[in-house]
Amino acid sequence: MAMSMSHQIGATPLTLETGGVSVEIPAKGSTATSPIWRSQMANLRVSVKKTGAEMDRVSPTPSPPMSPMLGGGGIRPDLSVDSLNIVACQALMEAAPLEAPLEHKMRNLPEKEKGVPVFVMMPLDSVKMDHTVNRRKAMNASLQALKSAGVEGIMMDVWWGLVERDAPGEYNWGGYVELMEMAKKHGLKVQAVMSFHQCGGNVGDSCTIPLPRWVTEEMEKDPDLAYTDQWGRRNFEYVSLGCDTLPVLKGRTPVQCYSDFMRGFRDRFESFLGDTIVEIQVGMGPAGELRYPSYPEQDGTWKFPGIGAFQCYDKYMISSLKAAAEVFGKPEWGHTGPTDAGSYNNWPEDTNFFKREGGGWDGEYGEFFLTWYSQMLLDHGERILQSANAVFEDKGVKISVKIAGIHWHYGTRSHAPELTAGYYNTRFRDGYLPIAQMLARHGAIFNFTCIEMRDHEQPQDAQCAPEKLVRQVALATQKAQVPLAGENALPRYDDCAHEQILQASSLNIDDKSGDREMCAFTYLRMNPDLFHPDNWRRFVAFVKKMKEGKDANQCREQVEREAEHFVHITHPLVQEAAVALMH
């Protein structure tokens, strides 16, 4: 069987000879990804092998040595590496023809009006574990206040761990139905987040909502369903993408579970779709972001601004890496990921792999590994987006995906924290354009965080550069012709943050920007602090400025006066919301 595999930026194909059957893998851009039973090997893209002086820059001998022993018990016979490879080969031979690329399909939605609509994130615990609305009176008063301020709508997490908590395929939408009715009553739109991750352990997590019980039971039986670092530490925030297409969750694949959940949501909330519910944000990793859990805050494992750690040491990821290394002609590279990449709280120059001069990231091994690691993440996004598109087709809703704003050590050559998270972005390579192009193929919105941050506000010894990062992402989405939406990474209520958001959302990045603006902005988050009189006054003015869009003629002083008047006449309502939220 001969496989022709091209690198995503145009390398010459490689050939795998394993027998008499020839299977041609189309070039980049000619196919979309199948969500079920798809061989990881079939989507591998590798780089051209380097020669001469470039060969001297390969990662030092420690990367990679023999794979470390990982804990977690024996391998189930049906999920051994050999059986996985057999299943993968069978799937490749039996798979239906892959769908043609989805060229910027946005579901015939109406053209966006001038200005940037503002949504507000709901509290993470808006629905309680007993499937009822949390602080119902406060919620109602808060939504009324938001609507009066000109807010377009709200974003709410629809937790997998709540809705399908007790048994596979048994969905309890209690609490969410009432929230949707509240939003509709107040004339607010809803961005519904399909939250397939655990709540708890990340920045801003104020409550704990684990994955469904039956999922955690399977992960306890087979710990390799969890992301794993090189020291054997397991991360249970999200099911490892290495087993996306394997029936490891009570006979279903993880992607099938996500698809069935979205289908259940569609069927229950059909009457709200396209009218009240206008966007479905599909969770694809920890914190709902398309990334690996490379910087977990839980138990103090990682602290800002550490570089994080690669998460590719569960047996499913290693099986894929092994197959990729054999295809590349370097089977010795398939036993483990880089082992000279430091630990979670190192800085790039502390490590052989990420250091500026002669770092392994810039050698042949580094290019091979990082291409594989990042492509696995892109493939994961492709699978879930294809499912989401199939479920919500012709329902009048947009699909969006959230990408993390990893701005620390951005000024270094290797961009180590981005690499460990799965974004193959370095000083010499644009890692966000492939993501934007993948989203464009599925007509999805690129939702990006850290929009409120300024470079000078961040620790410069860690070479943080959120403004430069946001600009790079804006250029990538412009080139890929994909809509860009934004969020603030941390709660901010000050004028400096608001001004930065206004500037960033205008997307005035070059002479090709024209009238382009962000398609939406989601404000973090609805809580008592938002309704503090000074914060509320600034927020009302901010929403008005965002709605006016860039190049608005109305002077800022007039906007401030109107906001002051509005705050005065709505004081009783806002005070009621603030008091109710505090109790």
Side-chain angles (χ1 to χ4, degrees):
M1 179 169 63
M3 293 187 182
S4 178
M5 304 178 184
S6 299
H7 183 272
Q8 59 189 356
I9 55 174
T12 53
L14 294 174
T15 302
L16 173 65
E17 298 291 345
T18 60
V21 181
S22 177
V23 178
E24 291 297 324
I25 305 300
K28 178 183 181 293
S30 63
T31 63
T33 309
S34 174
I36 306 299
W37 293 104
R38 178 162 178 257
S39 169
Q40 299 291 354
M41 294 170 60
N43 202 45
L44 175 69
R45 291 167 174 82
V46 294
S47 59
V48 177
K49 294 184 180 180
K50 298 179 180 179
T51 59
E54 289 181 300
M55 288 292 290
D56 295 333
R57 294 186 295 139
V58 298
S59 191
T61 302
S63 182
M66 294 298 291
S67 177
M69 295 298 293
L70 302 179
I75 298 176
R76 288 158 48 183
D78 58 321
L79 297 178
S80 66
V81 171
D82 288 342
S83 65
L84 296 184
N85 289 335
I86 291 171
V87 168
C89 290
Q90 288 175 339
L92 183 61
M93 297 296 293
E94 298 169 5
L98 297 179
E99 190 178 298
L102 309 176
E103 295 294 343
H104 308 280
K105 141 176 123 169
M106 290 306 293
R107 296 173 191 77
N108 299 317
L109 298 173
E111 288 293 320
K112 175 186 169 300
E113 297 179 0
K114 186 177 177 62
V116 181
V118 175
F119 291 75
V120 175
M121 291 188 200
M122 300 287 280
L124 294 169
D125 60 351
S126 293
V127 174
K128 296 188 291 185
M129 298 302 282
D130 63 357
H131 304 285
T132 60
V133 174
N134 197 7
R135 299 184 297 273
R136 183 179 286 104
K137 180 181 178 182
M139 201 69 70
N140 193 62
S142 300
L143 295 185
Q144 188 176 352
L146 292 178
K147 179 61 179 179
S148 70
V151 166
E152 181 77 8
I154 57 176
M155 173 180 278
M156 67 173 70
D157 288 279
V158 183
W159 294 104
W160 187 28
L162 273 180
V163 175
E164 199 179 357
R165 179 178 61 199
D166 297 322
E170 294 184 9
Y171 307 112
N172 188 333
W173 304 104
Y176 291 108
V177 175
E178 188 175 355
L179 277 179
M180 296 297 178
E181 292 285 3
M182 278 188 188
K184 184 176 182 178
K185 179 181 73 174
H186 292 296
L188 291 166
K189 306 299 184 185
V190 173
Q191 298 168 319
V193 184
M194 304 291 101
S195 295
F196 299 119
H197 61 286
Q198 167 190 288
C199 179
N202 281 296
V203 177
D205 284 355
S206 56
C207 62
T208 299
I209 302 173
L211 297 181
R213 290 172 184 165
W214 52 276
V215 174
T216 56
E217 287 172 2
E218 292 301 303
M219 296 176 88
E220 288 169 1
K221 294 176 189 175
D222 181 6
D224 283 291
L225 298 180
Y227 283 114
T228 308
D229 63 23
Q230 71 179 87
W231 305 278
R233 186 183 289 107
R234 308 286 188 178
N235 186 300
F236 294 92
E237 292 180 65
Y238 187 84
V239 179
S240 170
L241 63 81
C243 55
D244 266 358
T245 59
L246 297 171
V248 294
L249 298 179
K250 306 291 186 182
R252 289 187 297 168
T253 71
V255 173
Q256 285 175 325
C257 292
Y258 307 148
S259 182
D260 291 344
F261 183 90
M262 290 188 285
R263 190 175 297 107
F265 179 86
R266 178 201 65 190
D267 294 344
R268 181 61 185 84
F269 296 97
E270 183 103 30
S271 62
F272 295 90
L273 294 176
D275 179 19
T276 299
I277 302 172
V278 295
E279 182 179 323
I280 303 294
Q281 186 173 109
V282 188
M284 295 190 176
E289 298 166 333
L290 178 63
R291 65 173 175 88
Y292 294 98
S294 56
Y295 50 99
E297 284 199 303
Q298 197 167 27
D299 301 324
T301 302
W302 172 87
K303 293 181 180 178
F304 178 83
I307 59 176
F310 291 113
Q311 305 291 312
C312 59
Y313 294 86
D314 62 78
K315 69 188 179 190
Y316 304 106
M317 292 290 285
I318 289 294
S319 177
S320 173
L321 179 60
K322 180 180 179 182
E326 289 175 353
V327 170
F328 192 70
K330 293 281 189 178
E332 65 273 18
W333 288 353
H335 299 296
T336 180
T339 56
D340 57 350
S343 188
Y344 288 95
N345 295 306
N346 284 132
W347 286 31
E349 290 304 310
D350 297 336
T351 75
N352 283 327
F353 190 79
F354 294 120
K355 65 183 182 181
R356 171 189 173 95
E357 298 290 347
W361 65 275
D362 198 28
E364 184 188 25
Y365 167 74
E367 190 172 356
F368 157 77
F369 173 80
L370 294 169
T371 297
W372 167 80
Y373 189 68
S374 61
Q375 189 61 46
M376 290 287 282
L377 193 65
L378 289 172
D379 291 348
H380 176 65
E382 292 263 15
R383 293 186 195 99
I384 299 179
L385 278 176
Q386 190 170 14
S387 292
N389 274 317
V391 169
F392 294 107
E393 187 173 13
D394 299 325
K395 296 300 178 183
V397 295
K398 302 173 183 177
I399 302 293
S400 68
V401 176
K402 186 176 176 182
I403 310 299
I406 304 174
H407 59 84
W408 52 103
H409 301 295
Y410 183 85
T412 63
R413 289 186 181 182
S414 63
H415 293 232
E418 293 164 88
L419 298 184
T420 57
Y423 306 155
Y424 192 0
N425 191 56
T426 71
R427 184 171 295 181
F428 313 117
R429 186 184 192 280
D430 187 352
Y432 297 100
L433 182 58
I435 298 173
Q437 291 169 333
M438 182 270 287
L439 298 180
R441 286 196 294 275
H442 295 275
I445 294 169
F446 192 123
N447 187 294
F448 198 61
T449 62
C450 82
I451 304 300
E452 83 285 10
M453 295 181 176
R454 297 177 190 257
D455 292 354
H456 69 81
E457 295 173 341
Q458 306 300 319
Q460 290 308 295
D461 55 343
Q463 299 195 48
C464 301
E467 290 178 83
K468 295 181 180 67
L469 173 59
V470 170
R471 185 177 188 278
Q472 181 187 352
V473 167
L475 286 168
T477 55
Q478 178 177 284
K479 186 173 182 179
Q481 298 180 34
V482 64
L484 177 62
E487 294 181 6
N488 49 315
L490 300 172
R492 292 280 296 270
Y493 308 100
D494 56 286
D495 287 331
C496 287
H498 292 165
E499 285 300 320
Q500 182 62 25
I501 294 168
L502 283 162
Q503 180 181 328
S505 64
S506 69
L507 298 182
N508 288 323
I509 49 178
D510 61 17
D511 56 4
K512 299 178 183 177
S513 299
D515 294 330
R516 185 173 183 250
E517 297 175 286
M518 284 188 179
C519 61
F521 182 82
T522 306
Y523 193 89
L524 175 71
R525 159 180 327 269
M526 192 180 86
N527 59 25
D529 289 337
L530 175 61
F531 295 110
H532 183 279
D534 288 339
N535 292 343
W536 182 249
R537 174 180 52 78
R538 287 189 287 262
F539 176 73
V540 169
F542 164 73
V543 171
K544 187 171 182 59
K545 293 171 189 174
M546 290 285 280
K547 289 182 71 174
E548 289 180 352
K550 63 182 181 181
D551 305 323
N553 293 322
Q554 190 174 17
C555 72
R556 294 296 172 91
E557 290 76 11
Q558 184 178 346
V559 172
E560 297 286 352
R561 286 195 299 271
E562 291 177 357
E564 194 74 50
H565 175 69
F566 174 84
V567 169
H568 176 72
I569 62 176
T570 60
H571 177 70
L573 175 63
V574 174
Q575 188 176 36
E576 179 187 356
V579 171
L581 278 172
M582 290 191 328
H583 296 84

